Amino acid sequence: MVCLGNICRSPLAEGLLAAKVDPEKVEVTSAGTGGWHVGEQPDPRSIAIAKQKGLDITQQRGRQFKPADFNEFDYIFVMDSSNYSDVIELAESESDKEKVQLILDELFPGENVDVPDPYYGGNDGFEQVYNMLDKACTSIAKRI
Ligand code: 4NP
């Protein structure tokens, strides 16, 4: 699960998908394309909405997406088209590129819908993001 800062959107996506799959079979993690928040906990507003919905994401720590992640993971879900370009730029092969998907393509195939960045907005934005990621992760969990 990849976003820009790895403190707002992708930690929610990581927590949601991890809760919907068998941990013995599927490893889920998240990263940011930027490195500003490496080692940090998710944004308090993401922690709060997750907690309100029964999900604990406080153990997560920020990390930056790195090219080796293409070898480590089978699927790379990005939150918006800017994350998509940033990750694709680090790809070293066509098979790397094929792993990268806009996460909302899961619900709206081919429509290029972004998960909006809630960082500069209010708490409502975090709940909206949570709800869209919840639906997308349910679909991903069924498929993989
Ligand atoms: P995220 O939101 O990509 O959903 O984690 C952001 C968090 C921090 C920053 C940008 C986006 N930032 O510029 O620090």
Side-chain angles (χ1 to χ4, degrees):
M1 298 298 185
V2 180
C3 64
L4 177 59
N6 192 210
I7 54 169
C8 296
R9 292 167 291 177
S10 59
L12 287 173
E14 175 185 335
L16 277 160
L17 185 61
K20 294 175 196 285
V21 294
D22 179 349
E24 305 265 305
K25 295 189 182 139
V26 184
E27 180 190 352
V28 186
T29 192
S30 62
T33 56
W36 312 284
H37 300 286
V38 168
E40 291 179 18
Q41 264 196 332
D43 187 284
R45 296 165 294 177
S46 284
I47 290 178
I49 189 67
K51 186 174 176 199
Q52 194 184 313
K53 308 273 188 181
L55 209 58
D56 181 4
I57 61 167
T58 56
Q59 87 292 353
Q60 294 184 31
R61 293 295 178 273
R63 58 187 284 275
Q64 187 168 18
F65 184 84
K66 55 184 191 300
D69 288 328
F70 282 111
N71 305 324
E72 202 74 28
F73 296 98
D74 300 311
Y75 303 91
I76 298 168
F77 296 100
V78 295
M79 302 296 128
D80 65 31
S81 56
S82 156
N83 309 147
Y84 185 86
S85 319
D86 290 343
V87 170
I88 288 288
E89 223 163 83
L90 298 174
E92 283 163 355
S93 67
E94 276 310 306
S95 73
D96 284 356
K97 290 183 187 172
E98 282 165 13
K99 293 182 176 182
V100 189
Q101 187 199 311
L102 270 179
I103 192 165
L104 289 185
D105 252 26
E106 205 61 35
L107 304 176
F108 313 106
E111 293 186 32
N112 285 320
V113 184
D114 288 343
V115 178
D117 189 342
Y119 187 60
Y120 294 106
N123 290 339
D124 276 9
F126 283 77
E127 179 149 32
Q128 283 162 15
V129 164
Y130 183 96
N131 289 336
M132 53 183 92
L133 289 175
D134 190 19
K135 291 195 187 103
C137 288
T138 297
S139 167
I140 292 167
K142 281 191 194 134
R143 182 161 71 83
I144 66 173

